[in-house]
Amino acid sequence: MSESNNGNNGNKSNNGNNNGVNPEKDLGTQNLPGQRGDHGEEIRVQRGMFGANNGGDTSGYGGLVRSVRLPGASSRPYGGWFDEVADELEGALEEQDLLPENAIEKTVVDRDELTFHIAREHLVRVAKTLRDDPALRFELCTGVSGVHYPEDKGRELHAVYHLRSITHGRLIRLEVSAPDDDRHVPSLVPVYPTNDWHERETYDFFGLIFDGHPALTRIMMPDDWQGFPQRKDYPLGGIPVEYKGAQIPAPDQRRSYS
Amino acid sequence: MSASNATSHASGRETTEGTVYTVTGGDWDEVVEQAAKSDDERIIVNMGPQHPSTHGVLRLILEIDGETVTEARCGIGYLHTGIEKNLEYRTWTQGTTFVTRMDYLTPFYNETAYCLAVEKLLGIENEIPDRASVIRVLLMELNRMSSHLVALATGGMELGATTIMIYGFRDRELILDIYELITGLRMNHAYIRPGGLAQDLPPGAVDQIREFVKKMQKNLPEYDKLATGNPIFKGRMQDVGYLDLAGCMALGATGPILRSTGLPHDLRKTDPYCGYETYDFEVPTADTCDSYGRFLIRLEEMRQSLRIVEQCLDRLEPGPVMVGDKKIAWPAQLALGPDGLGNSLDHIKKIMGTSMEALIHHFKLVTEGFRVPPGQAYAAVESPKGELGVHVVSDGGTRPFRVHFRDPSFTNLQAMAAMCEGGQVADVIVAVASIDPVMGGVDR
């Protein structure tokens, strides 16, 4: 990717500082698609521009290759109360003879939000610690949100929890991932009973199986529904519509710019 | 359906758990009488999904013993419309037209929560013009009143109190008129957009809101007179739908349900957004943990909302209502044309006639949308029902990668079983009404 950009930059007279400097980091990133540079964590490689890969592309954008990167792990200090929470959590896990680096895969601080990526086998223990430790006291779980990253091999399905501490007025995020061929995540219902319906919803939409859930059944879709609609490989559906003589394709068939 | 033919509305079926009789239609007394004859059998009653007192299409599955509910479960999903999936196929700006339809009684909260999350992803939280934030607060507080009015009105109607229903919808109509003046629509506004608002307040809006505040200050005490001290009302609501603080925490219940346990948890105070920390208002609580306490809280919250609305009107300063960043703000200049609100003809003339770049920019921004840097964000607002949280994920494209709404109705409805089991069938209605679930939000 960087070679092709260097080639382009060579044509521009006003950009002569690309020797030794990654031009991707120097360009005004707000005008460019996606996060540039090599920082962060790659979740996907995007090819082309408009989602169309059949037919002749005369724009030149069809050859575009860029990696899509989410914010990666942060290093200390995280800033604000984030360090305090991280210290307390690590200390509390150590007290339970659980090495924090085994439980917490990485810690991400992005946009003033603290995210702990937790190894799924330790999720329940970590959540219980977060809820019960007096210095942490995340009493309220606001449920689970599933995210499907189809090209993030080995960690396709994510379950994202937001925990709120009313005592300390804090909000953190827990994230666990599961590979697509082993879609199991332990259920948090024993720790946060509110997750009962939320986990059913995430199961219903993503096929994530929450082990230990009291009754993991579909909640929104009909009981005999096939497939998991919110997964990225599940089509939106829809039919083309004729408008003023032109056929307007269904939303998921339209040209996209992502 | 005659009483002599007892089998006409009960057909037997052999199952692994013994004979199951399905009873539909008929007179309730007859059904109960027949059921009483075989009192060792379980009776499962399906309430809804088309029952008038279930707030839309909520299905309650009650296992009853005489008049006592021994087990209660909800069946939901009848109004699932796949909004979260649909959002992934539209631009970030188009998203507001979808989210506003989720909990259709609190459209401005859905829009604001979504926009706050998108703005957090864009990193422009601090660039939102003051006027836009004030108008957001103004609309949200009007919306809190209109939502609470529906809660009181339908809640009263379900108890058989039709006067309070008429009063509630009368006052809500005043608020809907304001919405219509400002956004053009009574619901589904899509007025709040990432970066600010679709357009400024129209002429006359401030005057109409001031008039409304005056009228509402006169009307609000009527609810007190009608209901607050009413012995029948109190008899039906007190100690019904009991859920204490531990139950609320475990079940994730927020909003008036949580505050009826005495905990003054309100995101407007604890985690302020849109400048709520600068407004002067109280967070009402009750310590009864019951439906009556929630009713009192809703009434008091309407008074507090009126206070906030007045403060908003006082601090409205002229200024922009959209961020200055032309890469985010739609270039459209809206104006009222002969066929309704749309692009201003002058603006179109200008970009068509004088600036090809402006035209291209306009076209690209509207058809393609703006790009949002990759990452995820969570934004939460205190909706009339509780914590409305939005989790958005971007992959750097012009469409959301994932949007998840943590709707308070959805979470609070889980508490139905805890509130109703062991109580009377008639109290189920009161308890559900005190949760104030809106199925558009529950099912999304």
Side-chain angles (χ1 to χ4, degrees):
Chain A
M1 179 169 70
S2 64
E3 280 83 2
S4 66
N5 271 356
N6 281 340
N8 287 341
N9 290 338
N11 298 334
K12 292 179 186 167
S13 55
N14 62 347
N15 197 344
N17 61 343
N18 58 355
N19 44 347
V21 181
N22 185 351
E24 292 178 323
K25 282 183 176 165
D26 293 350
L27 291 169
T29 49
Q30 73 273 19
N31 293 337
L32 294 171
Q35 187 158 332
R36 308 290 281 198
D38 52 3
H39 53 291
E41 183 199 352
E42 183 173 289
I43 54 157
R44 183 156 64 90
V45 175
Q46 171 92 27
R47 289 172 193 280
M49 186 79 180
F50 305 115
N53 41 23
N54 52 342
D57 171 39
T58 54
S59 70
Y61 282 113
L64 197 70
V65 179
R66 66 186 171 90
S67 61
V68 176
R69 292 171 184 278
L70 290 184
S74 310
S75 52
R76 297 232 187 203
Y78 302 138
W81 51 264
F82 293 170
D83 289 291
E84 200 186 320
V85 169
D87 287 340
E88 290 290 345
L89 178 61
E90 283 171 14
L93 290 179
E94 268 167 13
E95 276 171 30
Q96 302 174 44
D97 295 327
L98 178 61
L99 275 181
E101 51 268 35
N102 290 349
I104 304 172
E105 288 170 345
K106 71 180 165 191
T107 308
V108 179
V109 176
D110 179 50
R111 296 173 167 95
D112 284 334
E113 291 181 338
L114 179 63
T115 309
F116 293 114
H117 288 253
I118 307 292
R120 54 178 169 165
E121 58 270 27
H122 299 301
L123 174 67
V124 177
R125 183 114 61 96
V126 170
K128 200 164 166 11
T129 309
L130 285 167
R131 184 193 68 179
D132 293 342
D133 192 290
L136 298 166
R137 283 261 190 275
F138 288 89
E139 307 100 338
L140 194 64
C141 179
T142 67
V144 51
S145 159
V147 190
H148 184 207
Y149 298 98
E151 288 169 55
D152 194 10
K153 292 294 168 224
R155 350 182 333 115
E156 284 93 344
L157 291 164
H158 287 227
V160 184
Y161 306 83
H162 292 92
L163 305 182
R164 191 179 280 287
S165 165
I166 293 178
T167 309
H168 301 291
R170 293 167 176 167
L171 181 83
I172 59 166
R173 179 186 295 128
L174 299 186
E175 192 162 342
V176 286
S177 64
D180 210 5
D181 42 16
D182 179 32
R183 310 169 183 171
H184 289 267
V185 169
S187 169
L188 275 191
V189 173
V191 184
Y192 295 109
T194 175
N195 273 15
D196 183 347
W197 281 17
H198 290 276
E199 287 179 3
R200 282 176 66 192
E201 185 187 337
T202 307
Y203 161 72
D204 195 352
F205 288 148
F206 290 90
L208 260 179
I209 296 162
F210 291 90
D211 296 321
H213 188 283
L216 195 67
T217 51
R218 287 193 182 270
I219 188 165
M220 294 294 178
M221 308 302 287
D223 290 346
D224 54 355
W225 193 265
Q226 299 288 314
F228 301 103
Q230 286 266 7
R231 289 171 54 91
K232 291 285 175 187
D233 49 15
Y234 192 98
L236 179 66
I239 51 166
V241 180
E242 192 177 312
Y243 181 69
K244 292 191 175 175
Q247 285 279 325
I248 311 297
D252 57 347
Q253 302 300 314
R254 286 178 203 159
R255 167 193 269 238
S256 82
Y257 302 88
S258 294
Chain B
M1 210 73 60
S2 67
S4 59
N5 187 359
T7 55
S8 66
H9 41 69
S11 59
R13 182 166 54 91
E14 294 302 322
T15 68
T16 50
E17 290 182 51
T19 313
V20 169
Y21 294 95
T22 306
V23 186
T24 56
D27 184 66
W28 182 244
D29 289 334
E30 284 171 34
V31 174
V32 171
E33 194 183 312
Q34 282 175 32
K37 285 179 193 154
S38 51
D39 57 0
D40 58 343
E41 300 291 322
R42 301 191 303 167
I43 298 185
I44 314 259
V45 177
N46 264 303
M47 266 176 71
Q50 303 292 338
H51 195 276
S53 69
T54 53
H55 292 249
V57 280
L58 168 65
R59 177 178 165 214
L60 299 175
I61 306 150
L62 308 176
E63 185 179 317
I64 56 172
D65 179 10
E67 283 285 315
T68 308
V69 178
T70 52
E71 249 188 278
R73 292 291 179 271
C74 288
I76 63 169
Y78 295 93
L79 208 55
H80 176 59
T81 44
I83 290 177
E84 288 175 5
K85 178 86 173 173
N86 260 310
L87 285 169
E88 294 168 15
Y89 294 91
R90 315 291 158 131
T91 66
W92 290 93
T93 305
Q94 284 173 318
T96 51
T97 43
F98 275 95
V99 300
T100 188
R101 285 159 168 79
M102 287 186 168
D103 184 342
Y104 42 79
L105 291 186
T106 61
F108 290 117
Y109 289 92
N110 304 341
E111 294 172 23
T112 307
Y114 170 79
C115 291
L116 288 176
V118 176
E119 285 156 10
K120 205 181 225 181
L121 275 182
L122 285 165
I124 56 168
E125 307 106 299
N126 299 327
E127 293 161 38
I128 308 303
D130 281 347
R131 187 175 170 86
S133 287
V134 172
I135 296 175
R136 283 178 181 184
V137 171
L138 175 75
L139 288 171
M140 280 195 285
E141 292 308 322
L142 287 172
N143 202 168
R144 187 180 310 277
M145 280 187 272
S146 69
S147 170
H148 280 348
L149 283 169
V150 173
L152 299 188
T154 55
M157 183 177 66
E158 286 157 14
L159 299 181
T162 46
T163 313
I164 196 168
M165 188 269 281
I166 300 287
Y167 277 28
F169 279 104
R170 174 198 67 189
D171 289 341
R172 175 172 180 258
E173 205 60 30
L174 301 173
I175 302 176
L176 293 192
D177 286 344
I178 296 173
Y179 294 168
E180 197 177 342
L181 177 71
I182 294 175
T183 72
L185 294 164
R186 291 158 56 90
M187 63 195 300
N188 304 340
H189 312 283
Y191 178 72
I192 295 164
R193 301 278 174 87
L197 307 171
Q199 53 166 334
D200 205 347
L201 293 179
V206 173
D207 294 338
Q208 185 165 340
I209 299 171
R210 280 202 195 281
E211 214 167 283
F212 160 78
V213 171
K214 253 185 240 155
K215 208 177 277 178
M216 201 61 191
Q217 275 163 343
K218 207 166 88 283
N219 288 357
L220 268 182
E222 288 182 354
Y223 296 92
D224 273 331
K225 282 187 203 153
L226 258 179
T228 306
N230 186 326
I232 301 173
F233 208 74
K234 282 166 88 172
R236 285 299 306 274
M237 294 184 100
Q238 275 177 336
D239 299 327
V240 170
Y242 186 92
L243 191 68
D244 62 7
L245 180 59
C248 281
M249 284 287 112
L251 292 169
T254 47
I257 303 175
L258 179 57
R259 289 191 285 275
S260 73
T261 67
L263 183 73
H265 176 67
D266 188 319
L267 292 177
R268 292 177 293 172
K269 291 280 190 197
T270 58
D271 199 0
Y273 47 90
C274 293
Y276 263 114
E277 65 275 16
T278 59
Y279 293 89
D280 182 24
F281 65 100
E282 312 282 327
V283 177
T285 57
D287 55 4
T288 53
C289 309
D290 62 359
S291 303
Y292 187 65
R294 288 164 211 147
F295 161 76
L296 293 180
I297 287 173
R298 292 204 171 94
L299 257 188
E300 182 56 33
E301 281 186 2
M302 287 202 284
R303 283 187 208 111
Q304 299 297 333
S305 292
L306 267 188
R307 277 178 71 188
I308 302 176
V309 167
E310 282 186 304
Q311 293 172 46
C312 289
L313 292 176
D314 291 341
R315 62 169 78 171
L316 268 181
E317 299 282 343
V321 292
M322 196 50 154
V323 287
D325 188 346
K326 294 289 179 205
K327 293 281 175 195
I328 292 167
W330 274 23
Q333 311 287 314
L334 296 177
L336 199 60
D339 56 345
L341 193 71
N343 277 328
S344 134
L345 291 176
D346 287 339
H347 178 65
I348 296 199
K349 204 166 140 194
K350 184 174 153 245
I351 60 174
M352 296 278 279
T354 63
S355 172
M356 190 171 77
E357 290 77 9
L359 182 65
I360 293 171
H361 176 65
H362 186 144
F363 180 77
K364 292 264 290 174
L365 197 55
V366 173
T367 57
E368 186 176 323
F370 51 79
R371 291 181 185 280
V372 173
Q376 54 185 335
Y378 179 84
V381 300
E382 183 75 27
S383 100
K385 280 126 189 153
E387 173 168 351
L388 174 66
V390 186
H391 176 228
V392 291
V393 184
S394 172
D395 67 343
T398 59
R399 300 158 156 189
F401 189 72
R402 162 87 170 129
V403 179
H404 175 69
F405 265 63
R406 184 259 189 212
D407 194 277
S409 292
F410 177 80
T411 315
N412 294 351
L413 196 54
Q414 284 189 102
M416 190 279 294
M419 288 183 187
C420 297
E421 286 178 2
Q424 302 278 296
V425 178
D427 291 344
V428 172
I429 311 288
V430 180
V432 171
S434 80
I435 297 175
D436 188 23
V438 172
M439 299 316 286
V442 174
D443 293 342
R444 282 157 286 136

